[in-house]
Structures are given as C-alpha cells and as structure tokens.
Amino acid sequence: MKKSYIVFALAGLLSAVPLWAQESYDLVLKGGHVIDPKNKVDGVMDVGIRDHKIAAVAPSIAASADTKIVNVSGLYVTPGLVDIHVHVNAGTAERDSYAGDNSVYPDGFTFRSGVTTVADAGSSGCKSFEDFKQRIIDRAHTRVLAFINIVGAGMRGGKFEQNLADMDVTCAANEARKFPDVIIGIKTAHYAGPEWTPVEHAVQAGTLANIPVMVDFGEFRPERPYEKLVTEKMRPGDISTHMYLDYVPMLDDQGKVRPYLFEARKRGVIFDVGHGGGSFLFRQAVPAIQQGFIPDSISTDLHIGSMNAGMKDMLNVMSKFLNIGIPLQQVIEMSTSHPAHEIKRDELGNLSIGSDADVAVLRLENGKYGFVDTYGARMSGDEKLTAEMTVRHGLIVWDLNGLSRDDWKGQGKYHALGSRKWDGTLSGAIWKR
Ligand SMILES: [Zn+2]
C-alpha cells in the first residue's frame, strides 16, 4: 500500500511539467503509431506541427493551451504518401488523351487517400508543360511534380506518341532545367515501333538535366527486348514502371523469377508498380513477391481508366501488397521515402524536424476484403488501409470522421468553426504552398 503510494507520487512529480517546457504548436497529432521509415521511427509518438513544418516527434509532447490537439490513438501516422505515377493534366478538353479527358484533377483524388505529393508521368511534354503548370501545378493544393514526356507534345495519343521527330532531347532537357523545382524526370511511354529511339532520347535528356527517366515500354517487341532495356539501356536510378505488367518476361516455365530482373536491380534500375488500368496482374506479382522481387516504389497510374477499376486509389494498391505479405512498415516505405528518393526529393516522404508538414493518418482495418487486378481477377484479403486524416503543409485537408472537430452540441449558435492555423477544409480557405 505504502509502496504504491510512493510510485504514484513520483509519477505525479514527473508529469508536472513546468510551464516553460510547454511549447506552442499549431497542431499536435497525439498518441498515434508513427511509422517514419526514413528516420527509423516505429512506435507510439506525438507529432507536433508549427508554421507548416514538423516541429517535434516525441513520445509525449507538452503543448500549450492554444495548440489544437487531435487524438489519433489506434491509428498509424505516416509521412504524406508520395505517388510518382499519376495523370493529372485534366481540363484541356482533348478527347481520348492523357493530356486531356483521360486525366483527373489531383485534389479530387489525393487527400482522401493520404497522398500529399504526386508526379504526373509524362502527360505533358516540353511544348505543353508550361500550360500544364499554369493550369494544374500552380493551382493544386496537392504538391504536383512532373516527369515530362520525351515527346514534345506530351501524351496526346497515337500519332503524337509515335512521332520520332518530336522526341527532341534538347527541348526536353532545356525545359527540365528551366523548372528544376517541379520537373523531376523524363518519361517515355506507349511507343509501338521497333526503334530504341524513344528510350535513348529520354536517357540523353535525363543525363543532360541530371534527372531520372521513367520508362513505360509501350509495345513489347522482339527487336527491343525488355531484358536489354533494364540490363543495358536504362541507367542506374532510371525507373521501370508497370513492373507487374503481363508482357514483362518475369517467370520462367517453372514459375521462377528470371535472374536478369535481380541483375537489373543490382545495377541500380528501379522497379515501380504503376498499377493503372492494364498493368498489374496477381499472377505476375504474387509469385514474384514471394521470391523477393518486390517493388522499390508503389504508384497508382491514376487516370480515368484505373480509378474506378481494380486500382481505385493509392491505399487500395498499398493494401494489395500488404495482403500479399509485405509488412506494413515496408509498404509505407515504398509509398513515402523510397519514391521521394527515386525522384531526388529526399526532403519529402518523411517526418524529419523542419520538413514540410505533410502527414497521413491511416486506419488498418481487419475484415473480409477483395482486391481486383487489371485483368479482372480477384484476391481475397483481411487487411485494408483507409485514410482517416491527411495533413498537407500543416493544414488538415481531409478528416473522414471529424477527428479534429468538436461535437455540435455545446457550440451554441455556431458559425464557421476551426482555425486557419490548422484547418485546410474551411469553406473558402485559401492557403499558399
Ligand atoms: Zn501512366
């Protein structure tokens, strides 16, 4: 009896934090399980945000009375997700085009699935990038970066994307060097001819601008084998997207992953998911992952053909890998610090002190779920990630169940609640990135 009293008194003494130790934050996410792979954080922590930046990650943050505190216990707190393969060049009114109707507006799809940064994968080229930037990149609340297409006209469909004469190395490299803040790579995609020219020109432009190339290999043809692409043509750091596509020669007749894929990885070629509407098969992915051929990065290839089909959204794609057997920590790493590193933006995809406060608060649900691949095959699973809350640049931009809100009862004759210090969803809220 006496002993427990002493312990109690001691605990009281330790928790009596002096006033000077209480810091002022704009927002504190309290009691969540933080997974920040880059900083090797994996445990229950508070996350403090001040002036749009991560100000503290600690077991217990003593916050002053003016701090907005949100209890996120029982949830996972991760860096805002980084999706490096999307198509968001919407609004040009061009039919059947990824530089038009096949694209979506980013803010309508990102925050609701925990994504705070996307990279458009070649929907624009050197001749159309500035229009894309002005219409989308500069206006979106999502951080939008871009791989520009080696095709000057961008991803406008058949006749444009097959036009070798419009794959101008100098034009692409110069545009990338003109906008180093937003152009993070060169894309080549959808080419159907026998020539290596699109890949070679993309690599030349990427070398001149010192940025990676993302390859969608288009039609797989015997004149230019995929094996040669990843073992010879691509540079270390270049990204092969659509890694679990049907046409990738992945498994031999015995179902074993072909050794050249591991050799390509060893020489530094990056393998990215790029799920999309036609590029992810369980019969490729499951055996490959079981044998260790896992993704470097998870990306969606978000567009109108994938968003309502098997892909759905970033968290649905991440949940597939979780159910195939990749541990949660690794799935988060493949969706945060890894993709950020691939596009040479190591300041993104982590919760380091001083970094822009982009945070995802995720719920890992248990139940009976189904996942669908791009040929329409189903896989059962018992775990699913959903986004409870998303913070972008220190502001709550998605709050599924109103965790940050007070009950309406007791608010009196209330008008707009919230504060511009932490609320990015206030009607008419305008905030600068
Ligand atoms: Zn794509």
Side-chain angles (χ1 to χ4, degrees), residues 85 87 121 187 242 301:
H85 189 156
H87 294 280
K187 178 83 185 285
H242 307 313
D301 193 8

Side-chain angles (χ1 to χ4, degrees), residues 244 250-251 255-257 262 282-295 321 323-326 379:
Y244 299 119
M250 181 155 300
L251 307 169
K256 297 265 285 178
V257 175
F262 292 109
F282 289 127
R283 68 168 160 77
Q284 292 271 63
V286 174
I289 290 165
Q290 284 167 350
Q291 294 171 60
F293 190 61
I294 62 173
F321 291 97
N323 283 286
I324 292 171
I326 300 180
M379 181 188 79

Side-chain angles (χ1 to χ4, degrees), residues 85-87 98 121 123 155 187 189-190 214 216 241-242 274 276 301-303:
H85 189 156
V86 302
H87 294 280
Y98 289 92
S123 310
M155 203 174 275
K187 178 83 185 285
H190 303 168
M214 179 184 272
D216 162 332
T241 192
H242 307 313
D301 193 8
L302 171 72
H303 54 67

Side-chain angles (χ1 to χ4, degrees), residues 111 180 293 302 349 390 402-403:
F111 299 147
F293 190 61
L302 171 72
T390 304
L403 293 176

Side-chain angles (χ1 to χ4, degrees), residues 63-78:
S64 60
D66 61 343
T67 298
K68 175 68 183 179
I69 296 172
V70 181
N71 181 355
V72 294
S73 57
L75 302 172
Y76 288 98
V77 177
T78 75

